[in-house]
Amino acid sequence: MSSRRSFLQATTLAPFLSLTDTQSAPALIKPNRLKPGDTIGLFCPAAPAYSQETVKIAQESLAALGFQTKLGPHIYDRYGYLAGRDADRASDLHALFDDNSVKAVMAIHGGWGCARLLPLLDYNLIQRNPKILIGYSDITALLLAIYAKTGLVTMHGPVGSATFNAYTVDWFKRVLIEGELVTMRNPTEKGDNLTQVENRITTIHPGLARGRLVGGNLTVLSHLVGSSYLPDWKNTILFVEDTHEDVYRMDRMLTHLKLVGILDQISGFVFGKCSECGPGSGGYGSLTLDDVLTEHIIPLNKPAYSGAMIGHIRDKFTVPLGIDTEIDATAGTIRLLESAVS
């Protein structure tokens, strides 16, 4: 009877085993830093580029930073709400990683569709040709899977269609070009107000925490739970962000992470921005996002804060996945303990 119980327990828990429960985590690989004149490959792994102007603006923005660009062969394809067939979108990623002239790979934008590519990717090819991969939102699926499968440090940061304003460009340069051990801190300008109104941080649980920095879009991350495309969560700093989600959905996703044991394994927690994430039709008779974060995160008794410049926002950090990091939940900072690039 006991052996049957053990078999049933192992069978039930198998989908939720972490990477280190089933195989050794790959060694960390840092991509080479960017240099002026380098070529950045652009592709659409999820939603299509509905206009050539979107791609052109991305090329002009990167040219203004001193980079050349190369387009994936299928960048203008369209298959319904996807940027072409799955195999073609995956082949664009392969082509850009396999091209020695390309030093970084950037998605034009997110949408939906990156998770469909994960079983099609040649992770050995990517591991043999490490380079910067950057994006956010739906690109989270690629960032997490490639980091988990290859050990390559991937970058949660601007997509090609993002606003390359001074703030975003500064963090992009400091992390990917200068390779600084940056301390990411929100802007503190008050403007003509008596106190800071915008970009505030909220300490959920005070203290310092260290660990590997891992995360991305909460919706995308939570829908990968149970697959083999997530890394080991032990001793990590989990960061998440989202957009246009009702509070009850955020509650459901954080509950999911709790039930499968992810929240129990992490060392610290950073919540970025949740753009347009109000209480929904229930109004403020509903729980608020602050309520949900309080209920899920405070019982962990781990350093945690919210409000970091991560998400679907104009001013954003470039955040590397897999790098040893320290957060100060009282001050609201993320400090890289090593460079994200070689």
Side-chain angles (χ1 to χ4, degrees), residues 5 41 49 58 158 190 288 297:
R5 183 181 298 112
K190 297 178 183 178
T288 66
I297 304 304

Side-chain angles (χ1 to χ4, degrees), residues 15-217:
F16 303 109
L17 294 175
S18 69
L19 182 66
T20 52
D21 289 322
T22 56
Q23 62 185 53
S24 297
L28 192 70
I29 302 173
K30 296 181 181 181
N32 291 329
R33 69 187 64 203
L34 285 171
K35 301 186 298 295
D38 279 349
T39 296
I40 297 179
L42 297 172
F43 77 129
C44 288
Y50 290 106
S51 72
Q52 293 190 15
E53 184 178 42
T54 300
V55 177
K56 187 67 174 174
I57 290 173
Q59 290 182 289
E60 291 176 1
S61 296
L62 294 173
L65 288 173
F67 300 114
Q68 303 180 64
T69 52
K70 185 167 188 174
L71 304 183
H74 298 279
I75 195 167
Y76 292 117
D77 285 8
R78 182 177 175 187
Y79 173 59
Y81 45 74
L82 299 169
R85 299 285 182 171
D86 294 347
D88 291 333
R89 302 196 317 282
S91 72
D92 275 12
L93 180 61
H94 292 153
L96 294 173
F97 265 92
D98 202 30
D99 187 334
N100 290 332
S101 71
V102 173
K103 304 305 179 184
V105 179
M106 175 180 284
I108 290 291
H109 49 211
W112 154 249
C114 288
R116 295 171 59 124
L117 306 185
L118 302 187
L120 306 179
L121 296 185
D122 185 340
Y123 295 98
N124 289 328
L125 180 151
I126 294 168
Q127 193 174 46
R128 291 194 306 269
N129 299 277
K131 55 192 64 175
I132 291 168
L133 174 67
I134 186 167
Y136 72 100
S137 193
D138 195 60
I139 316 305
T140 293
L142 298 177
L143 303 181
L144 287 168
I146 289 173
Y147 166 62
K149 294 288 189 180
T150 71
L152 177 64
V153 174
T154 54
M155 312 293 172
H156 187 281
V159 292
S161 60
T163 302
F164 282 89
N165 58 5
Y167 189 90
T168 299
V169 167
D170 180 57
W171 289 108
F172 181 93
K173 287 181 175 180
R174 293 177 68 184
V175 174
L176 301 184
I177 298 176
E178 302 301 328
E180 290 184 31
L181 276 63
V182 297
T183 296
M184 301 179 196
R185 189 188 309 269
N186 280 24
T188 57
E189 292 84 1
K190 297 178 183 178
D192 60 357
N193 297 301
L194 295 177
T195 189
Q196 185 175 353
V197 175
E198 298 181 344
N199 302 319
R200 296 172 62 94
I201 67 102
T202 299
T203 300
I204 301 171
H205 191 284
L208 301 176
R210 291 190 175 191
R212 290 175 296 106
L213 191 58
V214 183
N217 180 266

Side-chain angles (χ1 to χ4, degrees), residues 197-241:
V197 175
E198 298 181 344
N199 302 319
R200 296 172 62 94
I201 67 102
T202 299
T203 300
I204 301 171
H205 191 284
L208 301 176
R210 291 190 175 191
R212 290 175 296 106
L213 191 58
V214 183
N217 180 266
L218 178 58
T219 297
V220 176
L221 188 159
S222 67
H223 282 80
L224 293 179
V225 171
S227 75
S228 64
Y229 300 108
L230 290 178
D232 176 30
W233 295 102
K234 188 176 181 180
N235 298 326
T236 58
I237 303 295
L238 172 62
F239 72 91
V240 293
E241 57 82 21

